[in-house]
Amino acid sequence: MKELPLSKAYQFIEPGPVVLVVTSLHGQPNLMAMSYHMMIADGDRPLIGCMLGSWDQSFETLRITGECVLAVPTVDLAPKVVGIGNCSGIDTDKFKIFGLTSVTAEKVKAPLVAECLVNLECRIADDGLIDKYNLIILEVVKAWIDPDREECRLIHHKGNGTFTVDGETLDLRDRMVKWSSYVQR
Ligand SMILES: Cc1cc2nc3c(=O)[nH]c(=O)nc-3n(C[C@H](O)[C@H](O)[C@H](O)COP(=O)(O)O)c2cc1C
């Protein structure tokens, strides 16, 4: 084994698909790209841990409003997702610039993104780790999926501007003997 610089460790821990964090302040919606997230609980009260940098306008808005939408884009949106993650809502109307359509959400003021496969309406469930790690625990309070979409492949950031696209599916359901409840979902 050759030593790996510590700064590269994160490139090998798949954090899940890149998502868009949608926030809204005083009726002005904004978007950012986010790949530092993890499921903390599933079932009827899903909890998701999200790391937002304090340099992000979205971080400030999320702290103030306590709510957001996590919109899950597919591979066709990848160039827009990277663009969204490389400019700031302070001086850019990202819905307009990137040609995305906002749709009124049901439980939060931040809008859904019509072009995304899935939209999760979220509220902050726990802010206790924000000061230490910028880690925000979100609770999903409403979830939406576009059932008519043909393109369902998600994108996964490799940590350096390259991405892996969802590919081959392995069906090992018959081995999920301890977790058969997951298989039946
Ligand atoms: C692929 C990708 C993934 C990103 N993941 C994160 C992340 O997990 N957390 C974070 O704070 N910023 C992340 N960013 C950076 C923000 O999206 C970026 O700082 C953005 O410009 C913030 O926009 P805002 O200032 O309008 O909120 C990511 C950017 C890209 C391109």
Side-chain angles (χ1 to χ4, degrees), residues 12 16 18 25-26 28 45 50-51 57 61-62 65 70-71 80 92 98 108 119-120 146 170-171 183:
F12 296 88
V18 182
L25 190 62
H26 310 311
Q28 178 62 47
R45 194 176 175 236
C50 300
M51 199 295 294
Q57 175 67 20
T61 305
L62 182 50
T65 62
L70 298 184
K80 292 190 182 192
T92 311
F98 294 101
V108 300
N119 281 275
L120 307 175
D146 179 352
L170 286 181
D171 186 348
V183 174

Side-chain angles (χ1 to χ4, degrees), residues 15 18-21 23 30-37 50-61 78 80-92 94 134 155-163:
V18 182
V19 301
L20 298 173
V21 183
T23 48
N30 187 29
L31 303 142
M32 67 170 266
M34 179 181 70
S35 57
Y36 283 30
H37 59 77
C50 300
M51 199 295 294
L52 276 74
S54 51
W55 53 86
D56 295 323
Q57 175 67 20
S58 308
F59 172 79
E60 191 63 27
T61 305
K80 292 190 182 192
V81 170
V82 174
I84 286 166
N86 280 275
C87 62
S88 174
I90 291 179
D91 53 17
T92 311
K94 298 195 206 177
N134 279 27
I155 54 170
H156 306 258
H157 191 207
K158 301 280 285 179
N160 58 0
T162 65
F163 296 80

Side-chain angles (χ1 to χ4, degrees), residues 18-22 31-34 70-86 94-95 97-102 112-119 146 149-156 163-165:
V18 182
V19 301
L20 298 173
V21 183
V22 193
L31 303 142
M32 67 170 266
M34 179 181 70
L70 298 184
V72 184
T74 45
V75 63
D76 49 306
L77 290 178
K80 292 190 182 192
V81 170
V82 174
I84 286 166
N86 280 275
K94 298 195 206 177
F95 270 94
I97 294 287
F98 294 101
L100 296 173
T101 316
S102 61
L112 315 180
V113 181
E115 289 77 8
C116 284
L117 172 66
V118 161
N119 281 275
D146 179 352
R149 239 172 175 281
E150 291 209 348
E151 180 58 84
C152 292
R153 291 174 300 159
L154 310 183
I155 54 170
H156 306 258
F163 296 80
T164 301
V165 181

